Amino acid sequence: MKITRWYNIFGMLWITQFCIGCQHMIIAGAVATWFFTRDKDALTSPIQKSAYNLVRYHLGSVAIGSLFIAIFQFLRAILKAIESQAKDSKNGIVKCILKACQCCLHCFENILMYLTRNAYIEIAIYGQSFCSSGQQAFKVLVNNALRVAAINTVGDFVLLMAKVLVVILTVFIGTLIIDGKEGVHHVWVPISVAGLFAYFVAHSFFTVYEVSLISVNCP
């Protein structure tokens, strides 16, 4: 029973990362097609073409990239389970080792996710394999470290502020609408749900801008 549960967790992590990778690949392919085409009037359905290229040529690359990320996330989940079981232990060294391993895996996961996303963009633009694109993405990041850091810092801050603004406006407008309504005894429940839903919608929407920003700045 426990093995089946862990198997389902790993499958869920892999499928989630696979869907995210497909999203990044389609966005990057459509943006690259639009950006590098001189005659914009000649463009016909760049999103459909990008999705077609993904399904026909690059599903394996997305599967490999998402598998690597899912493995790190799965290892973190296992460590988290071990850490929860050892929380009553009086051995401080074990707790310290588990937290250190969790921190290292988290750092590696973030690095791998960022590198994989750039590899997807390289694949969408140049049509190479995952390994070749990952190597090229690493070279691009190393050779343009300052520019990448500047773009990521400014871009992430602006996108974060945009997401926060969307959530604040949603909560504010929702409060104005619900406040004073008869039959509503706990206003914070629908407001919290609306705010959470607004964040996920804003995150999905602004992900398009984030991937587009990286795609057009990819040499």
Side-chain angles (χ1 to χ4, degrees), residues 67-78:
L67 175 62
F68 291 153
I69 299 175
I71 289 174
F72 275 91
Q73 292 179 337
F74 185 67
L75 292 176
R76 286 189 61 203
I78 294 176

Side-chain angles (χ1 to χ4, degrees), residues 26-43:
I26 292 175
I27 295 172
V31 171
T33 301
W34 175 86
F35 186 77
F36 293 108
T37 301
R38 293 182 179 274
D39 186 8
K40 307 299 183 185
D41 296 331
L43 284 175

Side-chain angles (χ1 to χ4, degrees), residues 20 38-39 42 68 113 125 172 183 196:
I20 294 174
R38 293 182 179 274
D39 186 8
F68 291 153
M113 289 180 67
I125 295 175
F172 177 73
L196 185 63

Side-chain angles (χ1 to χ4, degrees), residues 150-160 213:
I151 293 174
N152 288 339
T153 302
V154 176
D156 290 345
F157 178 77
V158 172
L159 292 176
L160 178 61
L213 181 65

Side-chain angles (χ1 to χ4, degrees), residues 33-98:
T33 301
W34 175 86
F35 186 77
F36 293 108
T37 301
R38 293 182 179 274
D39 186 8
K40 307 299 183 185
D41 296 331
L43 284 175
T44 56
S45 304
I47 297 178
Q48 294 181 4
K49 289 183 178 179
S50 180
Y52 173 78
N53 290 333
L54 167 66
V55 174
R56 182 171 182 180
Y57 301 110
H58 305 308
L59 282 180
S61 298
V62 179
I64 294 176
S66 59
L67 175 62
F68 291 153
I69 299 175
I71 289 174
F72 275 91
Q73 292 179 337
F74 185 67
L75 292 176
R76 286 189 61 203
I78 294 176
L79 279 179
K80 193 66 177 179
I82 297 175
E83 187 177 353
S84 63
Q85 292 179 357
K87 64 180 179 180
D88 297 330
S89 176
K90 297 181 180 180
N91 194 336
I93 298 178
V94 174
K95 294 181 179 179
C96 183
I97 292 175
L98 289 175

Side-chain angles (χ1 to χ4, degrees), residues 7-217:
Y7 176 81
N8 292 332
I9 291 175
F10 179 76
M12 181 189 67
L13 293 173
W14 192 1
I15 292 174
T16 301
Q17 292 302 320
F18 181 81
C19 293
I20 294 174
C22 290
Q23 177 192 17
H24 290 168
M25 187 86 76
I26 292 175
I27 295 172
V31 171
T33 301
W34 175 86
F35 186 77
F36 293 108
T37 301
R38 293 182 179 274
D39 186 8
K40 307 299 183 185
D41 296 331
L43 284 175
T44 56
S45 304
I47 297 178
Q48 294 181 4
K49 289 183 178 179
S50 180
Y52 173 78
N53 290 333
L54 167 66
V55 174
R56 182 171 182 180
Y57 301 110
H58 305 308
L59 282 180
S61 298
V62 179
I64 294 176
S66 59
L67 175 62
F68 291 153
I69 299 175
I71 289 174
F72 275 91
Q73 292 179 337
F74 185 67
L75 292 176
R76 286 189 61 203
I78 294 176
L79 279 179
K80 193 66 177 179
I82 297 175
E83 187 177 353
S84 63
Q85 292 179 357
K87 64 180 179 180
D88 297 330
S89 176
K90 297 181 180 180
N91 194 336
I93 298 178
V94 174
K95 294 181 179 179
C96 183
I97 292 175
L98 289 175
K99 289 186 179 297
C101 293
Q102 190 74 255
C103 180
C104 292
L105 285 176
H106 181 65
C107 292
F108 280 122
E109 178 190 341
N110 288 335
I111 294 173
L112 184 61
M113 289 180 67
Y114 187 78
L115 183 61
T116 302
R117 184 178 61 180
N118 283 270
Y120 290 155
I121 294 173
E122 291 282 342
I123 294 171
I125 295 175
Y126 301 108
Q128 298 177 346
S129 64
F130 177 79
C131 294
S132 300
S133 299
Q135 184 179 7
Q136 181 63 27
F138 182 77
K139 291 180 180 179
V140 170
L141 294 176
V142 172
N143 295 332
N144 302 275
L146 294 178
R147 188 178 73 173
V148 170
I151 293 174
N152 288 339
T153 302
V154 176
D156 290 345
F157 178 77
V158 172
L159 292 176
L160 178 61
M161 290 297 101
K163 295 174 186 178
V164 172
L165 180 61
V166 170
V167 175
I168 292 176
L169 289 177
T170 302
V171 172
F172 177 73
I173 295 174
T175 303
L176 294 179
I177 295 175
I178 297 178
D179 192 23
K181 291 282 186 179
E182 296 183 359
V184 180
H185 301 288
H186 301 285
V187 180
W188 62 271
V189 175
I191 293 299
S192 300
V193 173
L196 185 63
F197 184 74
Y199 174 79
F200 283 118
V201 172
H203 177 73
S204 300
F205 183 79
F206 287 113
T207 297
V208 177
Y209 288 93
E210 183 179 6
V211 178
S212 301
L213 181 65
I214 299 175
S215 299
V216 297
N217 285 279

